[in-house]
Amino acid sequence: MDTMKKFLKYALCILAFFIFSEFMININLETTYQNIGRKDNVSQVSIYQAQATKVNGRIKGNIYNNSENKINSTYLRVDLYSERNNLLGSKYIDISNLREDETRNFEIYFKVQDVEYYEIKFTDEKEEGELPEMWQDLTRGEIILGTIITFLIFW
């Protein structure tokens, strides 16, 4: 019985260290993101998070197609620029089926170095050279499920 208690203590210590290290890693990763600027006057798009690290970034926001400023374009184009105003790349969001008075959330993830600011434009065609798709942030439920499955595998 004494050895079972010892194994239980070891298992709890390993689990506590795992949870602590995951918490610290996530905090460290979140602190590397810095806010980036916006240089456009598009009123139909509101951005609530625009951040980048030295190698990647994310932009999250809403598109609102209201009746006063109706959107007639097919794509929303996000251009990423360096501090010397060099175009680093573009991402496109398909808005062809956006109805009038509809609000749509969007998230863009990119892997580009040294992004300083971005511009948003509406366009009807995609140009060549779009940045490749990236993985999206995991939700809290997906992280917990993955942690439980990993724990069961090593159990």
Side-chain angles (χ1 to χ4, degrees):
M1 190 68 173
D2 195 33
T3 52
M4 289 300 286
K5 288 182 181 179
K6 189 181 281 187
F7 282 131
L8 182 62
K9 287 179 185 178
Y10 289 146
L12 289 176
C13 287
I14 290 171
L15 181 64
F17 177 74
F18 175 75
I19 291 171
F20 175 74
S21 64
E22 282 294 316
F23 178 72
M24 294 305 290
I25 288 169
N26 286 329
I27 287 176
N28 187 26
L29 287 176
E30 287 298 318
T31 59
T32 60
Y33 280 96
Q34 301 294 323
N35 291 333
I36 57 177
R38 179 176 176 180
K39 301 226 178 164
D40 62 64
N41 297 352
V42 179
S43 62
Q44 295 98 331
V45 179
S46 65
I47 303 296
Y48 57 85
Q49 184 180 36
Q51 299 176 325
T53 64
K54 286 290 186 189
V55 293
N56 59 15
R58 58 189 174 205
I59 298 174
K60 298 178 182 180
N62 301 314
I63 305 169
Y64 180 62
N65 189 12
N66 58 4
S67 55
E68 294 91 35
N69 295 326
K70 189 169 179 175
I71 300 172
N72 296 322
S73 302
T74 309
Y75 296 102
L76 177 70
R77 176 179 168 174
V78 179
D79 294 329
L80 305 169
Y81 291 94
S82 70
E83 67 181 52
R84 295 197 171 110
N85 301 326
N86 294 329
L87 178 63
L88 301 173
S90 299
K91 295 286 277 185
Y92 293 89
I93 299 172
D94 185 13
I95 56 171
S96 59
N97 57 359
L98 188 66
R99 297 185 307 267
E100 191 172 322
D101 292 327
E102 179 183 0
T103 301
R104 182 182 298 168
N105 297 332
F106 69 90
E107 297 179 357
I108 296 174
Y109 296 91
F110 53 88
K111 187 166 184 149
V112 178
Q113 290 184 345
D114 298 323
V115 174
E116 187 69 25
Y117 69 94
Y118 63 96
E119 281 186 353
I120 295 177
K121 302 173 187 172
F122 292 108
T123 185
D124 288 323
E125 296 179 4
K126 274 188 177 183
E127 295 179 11
E128 289 186 29
E130 181 182 9
L131 295 171
E133 290 293 321
M134 283 203 47
W135 286 50
Q136 296 181 353
D137 285 345
L138 296 175
T139 63
R140 184 176 303 276
E142 291 170 339
I143 292 171
I144 291 171
L145 180 64
T147 304
I148 291 170
I149 290 173
T150 305
F151 183 69
L152 289 175
I153 288 172
F154 290 113
W155 183 264

